[in-house]
Amino acid sequence: MNNLDLSLYLVTNNSEDEEKFLNIIEESLKGGVSVVQLREKKAETLDFYNLALKVKEITQKYNVPLIINDRIDIALAIDADGVHVGQSDMPAKTARSMIGEDKILGVSAANIKEAKKAQRESADYIGVGAVYPTNTKDDATSVPKKELKEIVKSVDIPVVAIGGITQENAHELNDCGIDGLSVVSAIMEAKNPKIASENLLKEFKAKNS
Amino acid sequence: MNNLDLSLYLVTNNSEDEEKFLNIIEESLKGGVSVVQLREKKAETLDFYNLALKVKEITQKYNVPLIINDRIDIALAIDADGVHVGQSDMPAKTARSMIGEDKILGVSAANIKEAKKAQRESADYIGVGAVYPTNTKDDATSVPKKELKEIVKSVDIPVVAIGGITQENAHELNDCGIDGLSVVSAIMEAKNPKIASENLLKEFKAKNS
């Protein structure tokens, strides 16, 4: 996958109020979100499928890739742009063989070993975290800034940082060599998701120019 | 899918104690179970995948098809013999296009409309229930015997009955024209899964000869 812009990578949550949910996604895209990952850990398959079709309509309008968390069946069914697998999901190697070479494969990694393995198994990028404490993911391991830097150096593929990143703390990741900021709450729970996205992106572009 | 023997169709549950779980499946196969459906509604994807690989080793040994409930990604990843989708899972049509023509597609139906739709969407068989009260599936609709008969008459594809079937009540389904008995607890919670399977199969063969 060439030219994948990971600058501001939105991972979704809380889709219960669908209208509100879809509106947040659209506003975030107006604000510059460059990748959307749909993450539904408790949804029935049919609900996930139907929601994914609706999100895809929006991401296509903004020409931004839609990545499905964990569920390769959903990704294939709606012809999403890619899948993201964690360490408790389908093995990356298996995921790649299922989605083919042209789709995006992202892998979560919390240390150098996992990062290198993901690269060997043809991940297009890795998501590393949690770089800050987060309430979104109960079981997230903590990755201090020093380790984030080491992980970035250990692989050739792009790295996005995730976990508790806000408009206020994003600048602290300035010197880590990452390719993007990945956020959940900082956009999904923002009063104004468009402005939040603009600010996060500004923060990221500033430090990388 | 030709020559699919649905006579005694085991749907699994309670895989927490894996050794015990795999042993029950193997004993049930010794007792004559003709199809195994692996159903894991709460497992992490990696755990489901690893368990499915282990179950497949056993079903292959007994030359019995392994069908995965709901999760087409798992079915494709382990090259299972088929998938079974409920009304809250992937649409049957989408499921068929994902698994291809050669794999088994089963669909749950609780009325004639759902049964006919499943047939139109290329289901190989349908599972109809709950024919008796069951504790295994909270949200199961109730399908009285009279309706089961009408469903069987409404389609050309095979029908298995499911929901609360036991060695004691199976004979009551004698005159319904079904192609098999599908059970969870009657085997999974039996003191002797092999003998329970033999008895259920005897019950089914008796009424259908």
Side-chain angles (χ1 to χ4, degrees):
Chain A
M1 187 69 198
N2 296 319
N3 307 318
L4 178 59
D5 177 5
L6 295 163
S7 307
L8 186 54
Y9 184 124
L10 172 64
V11 179
T12 67
N13 72 351
N14 298 340
S15 62
E16 293 78 11
D17 182 341
E18 190 178 283
E19 193 183 328
K20 185 182 167 198
F21 176 80
L22 296 175
N23 185 56
I24 292 172
I25 293 175
E26 177 139 19
E27 288 302 303
S28 78
L29 288 164
K30 287 182 190 165
V33 157
S34 63
V35 180
V36 173
Q37 180 193 123
L38 183 60
R39 185 172 186 272
E40 290 288 314
K41 280 301 192 190
K42 287 171 187 167
E44 298 259 27
T45 298
L46 184 60
D47 294 337
F48 195 168
Y49 169 75
N50 285 327
L51 184 67
L53 284 174
K54 286 176 192 167
V55 174
K56 192 186 168 191
E57 271 185 43
I58 302 173
T59 53
Q60 279 190 318
K61 198 161 93 180
Y62 292 84
N63 201 23
V64 159
L66 172 61
I67 291 178
I68 303 293
N69 179 285
D70 181 11
R71 295 290 298 268
I72 301 175
D73 49 352
I74 303 291
L76 293 174
I78 70 144
D79 191 27
D81 301 286
V83 295
H84 184 96
V85 293
Q87 297 290 324
S88 312
D89 300 336
M90 200 73 85
K93 215 171 165 175
T94 309
R96 172 59 80 198
S97 77
M98 291 173 75
I99 64 173
E101 289 304 313
D102 294 338
K103 294 215 186 276
I104 303 163
L105 176 61
V107 177
S108 299
N111 53 55
I112 291 179
K113 195 182 159 197
E114 289 175 357
K116 286 190 167 179
K117 186 164 185 280
Q119 176 168 277
R120 276 200 310 279
E121 296 187 345
S122 77
D124 290 303
Y125 71 89
I126 54 174
V128 175
V131 293
Y132 295 110
T134 170
N135 292 321
T136 309
K137 205 161 176 257
D138 306 338
D139 58 345
T141 47
S142 169
V143 179
K145 203 175 139 176
K146 184 170 168 289
E147 197 170 355
L148 172 61
K149 282 187 195 179
E150 288 169 358
I151 292 173
V152 170
K153 278 184 201 153
S154 75
V155 291
D156 302 317
I157 53 177
V159 173
V160 295
I162 187 166
I165 298 173
T166 62
Q167 297 174 49
E168 289 69 36
N169 65 23
H171 72 275
E172 296 168 15
L173 301 169
N174 272 3
D175 56 348
C176 291
I178 54 173
D179 297 88
L181 302 174
S182 184
V183 300
V184 186
S185 312
I187 290 176
M188 297 306 293
E189 284 158 34
K191 279 193 182 158
N192 187 323
K194 178 170 175 282
I195 292 175
S197 302
E198 286 169 351
N199 288 343
L200 284 160
L201 198 59
K202 214 176 293 173
E203 199 65 35
F204 179 73
K205 298 275 184 189
K207 71 183 162 66
N208 283 281
S209 59
Chain B
M1 186 71 196
N2 296 319
N3 308 316
L4 178 58
D5 177 5
L6 295 162
S7 307
L8 187 54
Y9 183 124
L10 173 64
V11 180
T12 66
N13 71 351
N14 298 341
S15 62
E16 292 77 12
D17 182 342
E18 190 178 283
E19 193 183 329
K20 186 183 166 199
F21 176 80
L22 296 174
N23 186 55
I24 292 172
I25 293 174
E26 178 141 19
E27 288 302 304
S28 79
L29 288 164
K30 287 181 189 166
V33 157
S34 62
V35 180
V36 173
Q37 180 193 124
L38 183 60
R39 184 173 187 272
E40 290 288 315
K41 280 301 192 189
K42 287 172 186 166
E44 298 260 27
T45 297
L46 184 60
D47 294 336
F48 195 169
Y49 170 75
N50 285 327
L51 184 66
L53 284 173
K54 286 175 192 169
V55 174
K56 192 187 168 190
E57 271 185 41
I58 302 174
T59 53
Q60 280 190 319
K61 199 161 95 181
Y62 292 84
N63 202 23
V64 158
L66 171 61
I67 291 178
I68 303 293
N69 179 285
D70 181 12
R71 295 288 299 265
I72 300 175
D73 49 352
I74 303 291
L76 293 174
I78 69 144
D79 192 25
D81 301 285
V83 296
H84 184 97
V85 292
Q87 297 290 325
S88 312
D89 299 336
M90 201 73 84
K93 215 171 164 175
T94 310
R96 172 59 80 196
S97 76
M98 292 173 74
I99 63 174
E101 290 303 314
D102 294 338
K103 292 213 186 279
I104 302 164
L105 175 61
V107 176
S108 299
N111 54 53
I112 292 179
K113 196 182 159 197
E114 288 176 358
K116 287 191 166 180
K117 185 164 186 279
Q119 176 168 276
R120 276 200 309 279
E121 295 186 345
S122 77
D124 290 303
Y125 73 88
I126 54 174
V128 176
V131 294
Y132 296 110
T134 171
N135 292 321
T136 308
K137 205 160 176 260
D138 307 337
D139 58 344
T141 47
S142 169
V143 179
K145 204 176 138 176
K146 185 171 166 288
E147 197 169 355
L148 172 61
K149 281 188 196 179
E150 289 169 357
I151 293 172
V152 170
K153 278 185 202 153
S154 75
V155 292
D156 301 319
I157 54 177
V159 173
V160 296
I162 187 165
I165 298 173
T166 63
Q167 297 174 47
E168 290 70 35
N169 66 22
H171 71 276
E172 297 168 15
L173 301 170
N174 272 5
D175 56 348
C176 292
I178 55 173
D179 297 87
L181 302 174
S182 184
V183 301
V184 186
S185 312
I187 290 177
M188 298 305 294
E189 283 158 34
K191 278 192 182 162
N192 187 323
K194 179 170 173 283
I195 292 176
S197 301
E198 286 169 350
N199 288 342
L200 283 160
L201 200 57
K202 215 177 292 173
E203 197 65 34
F204 180 72
K205 298 274 184 191
K207 71 181 161 69
N208 284 280
S209 58

